[in-house]
Amino acid sequence: MAAFSRRKPPHVVTLSRPDRMTVADVIEALDDTVSFEYRGNAEQLFRGAATSLRRGEVRRRFWVVRDRDWTRRRRDVYRGSASSAEGDLAAAIEWGAEGVICGPEYKDSPLLEGMNVFFTPSTIDFTCRLIEAQRRLIRGRRTIAVTGSAGKTTTTAMIAHCLQALDPESSIQHNDRNRNFLHWALAYQTRTHRYAHSVLEISGAALSHDWDHYAISPDVAIVTSIAEAHLAAHGDLAGVARDKSNIFKNPHLTVQQSSTLTPRTQRFSSLRRSLRVPS
């Protein structure tokens, strides 16, 4: 058993086998912007995180305990307000979770005895930083992210189908069944190192919050449409465009000084202004 705490700048290398990423690899890639302590087997394979309490999702992954930084509304939507975090944790372990990401208040919990655990003050911030660390570690894995007011699910399904048809031997990840909330976006992003292609549907909920400048950071970003939908969260059409445009944020890529957007309608004009696309 070993315990790790970040005390130095990250040592970043490119993994020759990204699908064999270990916890030790992730720890080395994390930087000083995140506070954590790891307890357990650092050579354990890291297969991604789970944020939904489903038996098939939890098995062999790190279960994320949602803390106060996940707003109350989101905690209740994702977990069910009648359920307790400790009860969910016990179920996740019973269903085969290989590790846990939780707050330091669980350090003395008997449930975690012998488990691989990341203790961190904010589990959502840690999950975001973990994804950024993985992006620094891997090459040759491509993420396509799709957002918009309508057509997201259909578009992601078509892209995944086309990619599989073009290269039947490729491993492809696709978040089907409209799993497009913030927690699904984060969970699927923690698994991109295990797939040649990840085709992810990203809702406005995952784009309208600035988790300390965290970005979805896809290699290819697609906006299907902009419409006056979900205005309770976005405010107005300009707010929809502003939030959806966050899908283009990617500090890992060079910003292109051109766009295929044609400002024929108010919707395109709103998105264009939000993106500050040159004329």
Side-chain angles (χ1 to χ4, degrees):
M1 302 291 286
F4 291 83
S5 297
R6 170 58 53 200
R7 291 292 185 271
K8 59 182 180 179
H11 174 63
V12 179
V13 297
T14 300
L15 299 180
S16 58
R17 285 288 306 276
D19 59 318
R20 304 293 295 176
M21 183 182 293
T22 66
V23 171
D25 294 325
V26 174
I27 290 172
E28 282 298 309
L30 286 165
D31 59 29
D32 287 323
T33 64
V34 60
S35 174
F36 73 93
E37 178 184 334
Y38 181 74
R39 187 176 72 193
N41 176 18
E43 298 307 313
Q44 172 68 54
L45 284 181
F46 182 77
R47 297 182 175 88
T51 56
S52 178
L53 194 59
R54 299 169 184 261
R55 193 181 295 266
E57 285 290 319
V58 169
R59 184 173 178 271
R60 306 184 77 185
R61 296 190 171 113
F62 274 69
W63 166 250
V64 181
V65 177
R66 287 168 293 285
D67 54 29
R68 63 185 179 277
D69 286 348
W70 300 73
T71 65
R72 178 178 178 181
R73 175 177 175 273
R74 286 192 165 75
R75 289 199 304 268
D76 291 351
V77 167
Y78 300 158
R79 188 180 63 215
S81 56
S83 177
S84 70
E86 191 161 317
D88 288 353
L89 176 59
I93 294 172
E94 180 184 352
W95 290 348
E98 285 187 334
V100 175
I101 298 171
C102 63
E105 65 271 18
Y106 288 91
K107 280 190 175 182
D108 296 326
S109 172
L111 291 172
L112 299 181
E113 186 175 350
M115 290 290 294
N116 303 309
V117 188
F118 283 102
F119 297 103
T120 182
S122 172
T123 59
I124 190 170
D125 181 69
F126 179 83
T127 304
C128 292
R129 302 309 164 200
L130 184 148
I131 295 167
E132 292 175 342
Q134 290 176 270
R135 293 281 288 181
R136 289 192 292 267
L137 275 175
I138 60 177
R139 299 291 184 273
R141 299 292 196 262
R142 296 291 177 261
T143 299
I144 300 172
V146 181
T147 193
S149 299
K152 298 185 294 294
T153 302
T154 302
T155 302
T156 54
M158 289 192 299
I159 293 172
H161 177 78
C162 291
L163 287 172
Q164 196 71 74
L166 288 170
D167 187 1
E169 301 302 318
S170 288
S171 55
I172 296 176
Q173 176 182 214
H174 171 215
N175 61 337
D176 58 353
R177 287 187 283 175
N178 199 28
R179 294 176 173 178
N180 62 350
F181 295 106
L182 174 62
H183 76 304
W184 279 113
L186 295 178
Y188 273 87
Q189 283 185 279
T190 66
R191 306 168 196 173
T192 57
H193 65 289
R194 302 186 63 81
Y195 299 88
H197 302 282
S198 293
V199 187
L200 307 181
E201 177 181 344
I202 308 295
S203 72
L207 296 168
S208 59
H209 296 277
D210 185 5
W211 300 109
D212 193 18
H213 309 295
Y214 169 75
I216 296 293
S217 300
D219 298 288
V220 178
I222 298 170
V223 177
T224 61
S225 64
I226 295 294
E228 292 179 329
H230 306 292
L231 297 185
H234 303 291
D236 54 18
L237 182 61
V240 176
R242 180 187 61 249
D243 292 340
K244 298 293 185 182
S245 69
N246 285 333
I247 199 170
F248 295 104
K249 289 183 179 179
N250 191 338
H252 309 284
L253 299 179
T254 301
V255 176
Q256 299 298 312
Q257 297 301 316
S258 63
S259 174
T260 58
L261 290 175
T262 304
R264 295 177 180 174
T265 67
Q266 181 187 4
R267 293 171 177 81
F268 282 116
S269 296
S270 296
L271 183 59
R272 184 187 180 94
R273 285 194 299 271
S274 182
L275 292 174
R276 296 183 176 86
V277 176
S279 300

